[in-house]
Amino acid sequence: WKTTLRGKELVFITDAGVFSAEGVDRGTRLLIETVELPQEGDVLDLGCGYGVLGIACAVSEPGLRVVMVDINQRALELARQNARLNGAANTEILESDGYQALKGRRFDLILTNPPFRQGKELVSAWLKDGRNYLKPGGRLVMVVRTQQGAHSWRRRLEEWYGHCEELEKGGGYRVFQVRVEG
């Protein structure tokens, strides 16, 4: 299927068993359209699925180096196909359980639409541990459905990072940003 993200027409191949196989979900679309991307630097798409978020960023800002990680093998195969289809040569796609394959790496920006259905413990670890994978001044930007406890996730982010900014809300979703001080 085709869609337009950040002003670019993109094509995606999906399959049963991956999140939002029918098209870009509202939360991911809100995150993609809201986040301020640097023109260059290192971006992590944490839990990339078939690659919508990372590929939209890579195509939008060709000076970025976008690392996309997921634990689902089928999703990773689709992400690789989708990166090729959309000419996103500035992507690196890795199998990783959260940050497991990223030891020693740091990013300017971590983006995630976390797998809330996998449980609060997993999502908490992803969000809390993000600070260990951000460069000084780096940002973690996430989307959460308002009904999935957006206010409590915001409080957790404030506890872990000392602050949390709501960048946007709409369609039942909220986009939050935290920054690691330099």
Side-chain angles (χ1 to χ4, degrees):
W1 45 265
K2 292 181 182 180
T3 190
T4 301
L5 297 168
R6 300 185 72 88
K8 307 281 184 182
E9 187 171 286
L10 301 171
V11 179
F12 291 97
I13 298 171
T14 62
D15 198 0
V18 295
F19 175 72
S20 194
E22 301 299 317
V24 182
D25 71 288
R26 286 182 293 184
T28 299
R29 183 174 295 278
L30 185 65
L31 175 58
I32 291 168
E33 298 296 345
T34 299
V35 68
E36 183 180 323
L37 294 175
Q39 290 184 333
E40 56 186 35
D42 299 298
V43 175
L44 173 63
D45 178 357
L46 182 61
C48 68
Y50 57 85
V52 171
L53 190 53
I55 291 168
C57 294
V59 171
S60 176
E61 292 293 345
L64 293 176
R65 292 172 302 279
V66 180
V67 176
M68 301 162 54
V69 299
D70 205 295
I71 195 167
N72 180 319
Q73 278 296 320
R74 181 64 181 136
L76 292 168
E77 290 170 21
L78 292 166
R80 288 182 185 101
Q81 289 176 0
N82 290 326
R84 282 192 299 275
L85 268 175
N86 291 289
N90 53 332
T91 58
E92 177 184 2
I93 301 168
L94 303 170
E95 180 181 355
S96 185
D97 185 358
Y99 300 101
Q100 169 264 327
L102 302 171
K103 302 293 184 229
R105 295 181 79 167
R106 299 284 184 270
F107 299 90
D108 299 290
L109 179 62
I110 297 173
L111 299 172
T112 190
N113 182 349
F116 291 101
R117 291 183 179 160
Q118 299 298 318
K120 194 182 297 186
E121 191 174 302
L122 173 90
V123 174
S124 291
W126 277 23
L127 299 176
K128 189 175 183 180
D129 292 348
R131 69 182 317 108
N132 299 319
Y133 294 88
L134 286 167
K135 296 176 184 177
R139 299 174 290 137
L140 182 145
V141 183
M142 67 167 291
V143 64
V144 59
R145 181 175 259 170
T146 303
Q147 294 178 335
Q148 286 180 310
H151 298 294
S152 63
W153 285 109
R154 182 176 187 163
R155 283 192 301 275
R156 286 183 185 101
L157 289 167
E158 288 171 345
E159 178 185 322
W160 298 327
Y161 290 85
H163 65 282
C164 178
E165 178 183 3
E166 183 175 280
L167 297 180
E168 190 63 75
K169 66 180 175 181
Y173 292 87
R174 294 173 187 265
V175 176
F176 296 136
Q177 173 177 278
V178 293
R179 184 182 305 270
V180 172
E181 298 305 319

